Amino acid sequence: MTKVPELFGSRVFNDQVMKERLPGTTYKALKKTIENGEALDISVANVVANAMKDWAVEQGCTHFTHWFQPMTGVTAEKHDSFIQPNGDGVIMEFSGKELIKGEPDASSFPSGGIRATFEARGYTTWDPTSPAFVRDGSLYIPTAFCSYTGEILDKKTPLLRSMERLSTEAVKILHLLGKTEVTRVATTVGPEQEYFLIDKELYDQRVDLKLTGRTLFGAKAPKGQELEDHYFGSIKTRVAAYMKELDEELWSLGILAKTKHNEVAPSQHELAPIFSTSNIATDHNELTMEIMKKVAEKHGLVCLLHEKPFKGVNGSGKHNNWSISTNTGENLLSPGKHPESNTQFLLFLSAVVKAVDEYQDLLRITVASAGNDHRLGANEAPPAIISMYLGDDLDALVQSIIRGDSYESHGRERMHTGVEVLADFKKDNSDRNRTSPFAFTGNKFEFRALGSSLNIACPNYMLNTMVADELSQFYEALKDAQDLETAARELVRDTLVAHQRIIFNGDNYSDEWVAEAQRRGLLNMKSLPEAFSHFLDRKNVDLFVRNSICTEQELRARCEIELETYAKQIRIEALTMVDMAQKNITPAVTAYVSALADAALSKKALSETIPVNVELNLIRSLSGKQERFVALTEELQDAIAGAAAIEDSQEKAMAYREKVFEKMEELREVGDSMEEEMSEEYWPYPPYTDLLFGV
């Protein structure tokens, strides 16, 4: 068996491989590009490309691909072979030009109106900060993606720009504070990935799962998650085998898969990695989701990454653990032993508080999706209201700063177990608040509102940008201060006083908080169309334009893409429901009612005295529900047609939410009620009991 240290990163063109295979001068030049953002000379790229090719061929590769992240929500790749003509034969070659630039057809990717169908050319360009890797006989090269005219068409480019922007502003603040040895600051992320595993044979019998990723009909199983016995429970043999192979696949690609366990709902699980820089963490998470699905196929399973595949049990999220670190190894969100005297920490904390308050709408927008709308606000995910949790100790410090009181940290309390053989230990300074969307957890913030299928580039480039902007304002306020310490303290206090409304340490699920949040002026946007109506607010457009993350045209395009995608997803779900209702459910109910009628007639034929009340009651109930079901199916078709006729993207998305989705909910309620009354032999789809407990 291969040892993990030998397996880890064995399919990655990482730093160790580069040291071994690149000439010293080339290696140093490439490292300057990666670490300092310096331009890469084509002569260096040629040497790197040749070394990459030789290494990849030794790994069994025949092709290379520029791997990128268009606005489709999934990754894209076009594979080219290394072969070049050589007389009557071929040789394997790969140039620096091919490494740096690719040309996929851009016309079929979402562009939000930036590109017309006939304007097909697009470019991919190598991202040297994210290592190339080998998969399925190809060399994968992480790249950014833009149009022929330069507009960004992907999710990676804004993230890279935001990381550079935050680094620039954070370094300026640190230099003011005397940390002149710091030359670069990076945001780091550790995304916790939740997912469901179900049996492939059952999945193949559910057209809704195949087309939409979630069950559109399905009555609750007699048992769900109410016993709380699945969470952290013993992992089933089949699932354990899947997890083992998944770990090995991820480790070979240099992905720091660390934690695995059963989640709250039946058949639900979680994988958590060790943090990486935001860029690499994003690439790794996209890769993780792809590999999760492929490994599942080998085990006769299907990995579901939809946020709410099953009604009545918890859906899946992706907690985004975000922090800021220097190239000297310091975590800028670490309070230290005495946070009350840690001016550096208080400045960065205040910048985050101000950013989250001023741009709460953007944070809500960045986690909005048709799938995630099912989770936010339910007792399984944070509500749609954005707020921050700081914990007892840190909140007490913040309140003392706001009041102008003195404060002294009490340090970490020792936990006494009361059992001699068990060691006492120091407990954390605060409990966790699982209901908070944006919670401080020791030396990082956990953004808990992300959906499981989301590309984490979006929330992270928005977080980076808004915090960078606040740090820029802080620098301007402090750069000419005669007494920096006093000025910084006053700035921290003024900031916390002005933005304290965003801080809430209580129960985010309570009705009282909804009312209190409204009193504070916090937004409560429960759906994607509602949230995206604020995306192009002037302050948001100015934020991204001012920080050179996106142009206004690119922002408008992204808004258009998200609204169009939402409308298309709800339309596909609605059409699938109609298809299931008309082709399978209605005929199945008709057949069962007919069988009940035949049974009743047979009993009557045997004897006038044999009661047929059971059959008659079921016939009456199902016939009434079926009549309502057929009528609702027709109403849903009308709602789909009405929404489809709307031209404006915002209005169309809102119509799909308010008219189509609401009608889908009504139709499902009647359909699920009929399933509860019918024989399983007649119902055309595998029930929740089999789906959730079949692995």
Side-chain angles (χ1 to χ4, degrees):
M1 188 177 95
T2 305
K3 295 179 180 178
V4 173
E6 297 171 3
L7 175 67
F8 188 82
S10 58
R11 290 195 279 157
V12 182
F13 194 75
N14 54 26
D15 191 68
Q16 180 182 339
V17 176
M18 289 192 295
K19 272 184 182 177
E20 294 172 354
R21 291 178 173 266
L22 296 177
T25 54
T26 304
Y27 173 75
K28 288 178 182 177
L30 181 58
K31 289 295 285 184
K32 284 182 180 179
T33 296
I34 294 170
E35 294 176 358
N36 303 325
E38 295 185 13
L40 186 69
D41 188 86
I42 187 63
S43 62
V44 174
N46 281 327
V47 177
V48 174
N50 189 61
M52 262 191 198
K53 179 263 298 179
D54 288 345
W55 172 78
V57 169
E58 290 171 18
Q59 300 268 338
C61 291
T62 56
H63 289 68
F64 69 92
T65 179
H66 277 197
W67 184 63
F68 58 103
Q69 300 168 30
M71 297 296 293
T72 55
V74 294
T75 60
E77 55 198 61
K78 180 186 77 169
H79 297 253
D80 291 296
S81 71
F82 290 122
I83 65 168
Q84 294 290 341
N86 184 33
D88 292 333
V90 296
I91 56 174
M92 305 289 268
E93 286 190 347
F94 186 46
S95 69
K97 182 180 177 181
E98 289 174 307
L99 170 62
I100 290 173
K101 188 185 81 170
E103 293 189 20
D105 185 337
S107 63
S108 296
F109 291 107
S111 70
I114 286 179
R115 303 286 286 162
T117 302
F118 67 88
E119 297 173 312
R121 194 184 298 276
Y123 296 120
T124 50
T125 179
W126 176 38
D127 171 17
T129 65
S130 185
F133 56 90
V134 164
R135 272 186 74 194
D136 303 325
S138 284
L139 172 67
Y140 279 68
I141 303 161
T143 58
F145 178 46
C146 67
S147 73
Y148 175 73
T149 45
E151 294 92 355
I152 54 174
L153 297 175
D154 70 341
K155 303 197 175 191
K156 176 187 277 279
T157 305
L159 178 62
L160 291 172
R161 290 176 179 175
S162 74
M163 291 173 69
E164 290 187 0
R165 188 78 187 94
L166 188 140
S167 177
T168 297
E169 296 305 326
V171 167
K172 285 161 61 176
I173 293 286
L174 292 171
H175 284 188
L176 270 185
L177 297 173
K179 299 283 183 72
T180 55
E181 71 280 7
V182 176
T183 58
R184 199 161 183 85
V185 168
T187 53
T188 57
V189 175
E192 304 170 29
Q193 181 70 55
E194 295 177 348
Y195 61 99
F196 280 84
L197 289 176
I198 64 169
D199 188 271
K200 178 71 162 57
E201 290 187 7
L202 297 175
Y203 170 86
D204 286 338
Q205 298 173 56
R206 298 281 320 206
V207 65
D208 46 2
L209 283 175
K210 288 194 286 186
L211 296 184
T212 73
R214 75 180 183 100
T215 51
L216 301 173
F217 292 102
K220 289 182 181 180
K223 178 180 184 293
Q225 62 190 52
E226 60 273 18
L227 294 180
E228 299 173 334
D229 54 340
H230 191 259
Y231 191 48
F232 280 26
S234 176
I235 299 173
K236 294 178 180 178
T237 303
R238 192 174 174 190
V239 175
Y242 163 81
M243 288 181 168
K244 181 178 183 296
E245 183 172 349
L246 177 61
D247 276 340
E248 291 172 352
E249 282 284 318
L250 296 177
W251 289 338
S252 71
L253 291 166
I255 298 172
L256 293 159
K258 176 72 172 176
T259 304
K260 57 186 179 183
H261 61 83
N262 289 347
E263 255 298 333
V264 172
S267 289
Q268 188 185 32
H269 313 281
E270 181 179 297
L271 180 149
I274 299 171
F275 68 89
S276 306
T277 61
S278 298
N279 176 34
I280 292 176
T282 299
D283 285 356
H284 281 181
N285 186 246
E286 289 296 296
L287 196 50
T288 295
M289 291 190 287
E290 291 177 14
I291 292 171
M292 279 179 162
K293 293 178 180 179
K294 289 201 170 185
V295 172
E297 292 175 5
K298 297 180 183 179
H299 293 261
L301 301 169
V302 172
C303 175
L304 300 178
L305 294 173
H306 192 283
E307 286 76 12
K308 192 72 173 180
F310 302 105
K311 189 175 182 179
V313 298
N314 277 18
S316 295
K318 178 153 48 189
H319 302 164
N320 190 85
N321 295 282
W322 178 87
S323 194
I324 318 172
S325 297
T326 69
N327 63 327
T328 58
E330 185 178 12
N331 185 324
L332 298 177
L333 292 181
S334 178
K337 292 183 178 179
H338 300 285
E340 67 277 10
S341 59
N342 189 340
T343 302
Q344 175 181 289
F345 167 72
L346 292 174
L347 276 172
F348 280 89
L349 174 68
S350 300
V352 176
V353 170
K354 185 171 185 283
V356 174
D357 184 35
E358 290 184 342
Y359 298 104
Q360 53 175 292
D361 52 345
L362 282 180
L363 286 184
R364 171 64 184 92
I365 286 165
T366 197
V367 298
S369 70
N372 213 25
D373 284 353
H374 293 283
R375 293 176 59 250
L376 297 182
N379 284 4
E380 59 183 270
I385 304 166
I386 298 296
S387 66
M388 299 178 71
Y389 169 80
L390 297 181
D392 297 336
D393 268 18
L394 191 53
D395 187 58
L397 169 58
V398 167
Q399 295 306 318
S400 73
I401 292 172
I402 290 172
R403 294 191 304 267
D405 299 341
S406 60
Y407 173 86
E408 185 176 347
S409 175
H410 299 97
R412 295 174 66 186
E413 180 184 340
R414 183 163 288 279
M415 179 72 79
H416 300 285
T417 61
V419 180
E420 289 187 8
V421 297
L422 300 180
D424 294 336
F425 56 90
K426 288 184 178 180
K427 69 176 186 178
D428 294 300
N429 288 333
S430 65
D431 203 349
R432 286 186 176 180
N433 187 333
R434 295 181 63 83
T435 69
S436 176
F438 202 82
F440 187 76
T441 55
N443 60 3
K444 62 185 183 301
F445 279 97
E446 184 179 23
F447 190 15
R448 299 177 53 85
L450 281 69
S452 52
S453 66
L454 184 71
N455 183 316
I456 65 170
C458 297
N460 285 293
Y461 87 69
M462 291 194 182
L463 259 175
N464 294 346
T465 304
M466 61 182 70
V467 173
D469 197 70
E470 307 299 358
L471 290 175
S472 177
Q473 294 176 38
F474 279 16
Y475 175 78
E476 292 300 319
L478 296 174
K479 67 179 181 180
D480 297 323
Q482 298 298 312
D483 182 346
L484 183 62
E485 181 69 20
T486 300
R489 289 281 168 169
E490 290 177 355
L491 177 60
V492 166
R493 183 177 185 276
D494 291 346
T495 301
L496 294 176
V497 168
H499 300 282
Q500 60 184 305
R501 67 172 184 170
I502 201 69
I503 300 170
F504 179 66
N505 279 7
D507 181 3
N508 288 253
Y509 289 161
S510 67
D511 293 336
E512 291 79 10
W513 167 236
V514 175
E516 171 63 16
Q518 185 176 11
R519 187 190 68 77
R520 294 187 187 190
L522 302 181
L523 298 169
N524 185 6
M525 300 179 289
K526 296 181 179 179
S527 69
L528 182 144
E530 189 178 353
F532 266 87
S533 66
H534 291 276
F535 185 58
L536 296 175
D537 288 355
R538 194 69 250 168
K539 72 176 181 64
N540 296 336
V541 172
D542 289 346
L543 172 71
F544 292 111
V545 173
R546 181 169 62 244
N547 287 280
S548 301
I549 307 300
C550 298
T551 65
E552 182 165 345
Q553 182 190 22
E554 289 166 344
L555 288 170
R556 292 189 179 280
R558 281 163 193 266
C559 185
E560 185 78 11
I561 289 168
E562 293 296 340
L563 291 170
E564 284 183 357
T565 299
Y566 177 87
K568 289 174 182 177
Q569 287 175 335
I570 300 299
R571 177 178 172 81
I572 290 168
E573 289 185 355
L575 290 174
T576 303
M577 283 193 87
V578 169
D579 197 62
M580 294 171 74
Q582 292 180 334
K583 293 182 179 178
N584 295 96
I585 295 176
T586 297
V589 176
T590 300
Y592 186 54
V593 168
S594 178
L596 288 172
D598 289 343
L601 290 172
S602 296
K603 289 170 72 172
K604 274 287 186 182
L606 290 173
S607 171
E608 291 290 332
T609 60
I610 298 177
V612 291
N613 294 339
V614 172
E615 289 83 357
L616 291 177
N617 287 340
L618 265 176
I619 289 170
R620 291 191 189 100
S621 177
L622 283 170
S623 296
K625 290 176 180 178
Q626 184 180 26
E627 184 177 353
R628 176 66 178 147
F629 188 76
V630 171
L632 283 171
T633 302
E634 293 174 355
E635 290 174 20
L636 176 57
Q637 288 178 296
D638 292 340
I640 296 168
I646 298 172
E647 294 292 333
D648 181 77
S649 297
Q650 179 70 49
E651 292 179 14
K652 183 190 288 281
M654 194 63 76
Y656 272 105
R657 172 67 185 184
E658 294 180 348
K659 303 290 177 60
V660 177
F661 179 75
E662 293 302 322
K663 195 59 64 178
M664 289 167 61
E665 291 290 278
E666 290 182 49
L667 182 62
R668 174 168 190 160
E669 184 178 352
V670 178
D672 291 354
S673 176
M674 292 194 298
E675 181 184 356
E676 290 172 346
E677 292 186 359
M678 281 182 57
S679 165
E680 190 173 311
E681 178 186 351
Y682 281 83
W683 192 254
Y685 302 108
Y688 267 28
T689 299
D690 293 347
L691 291 169
L692 289 171
F693 298 93
V695 175

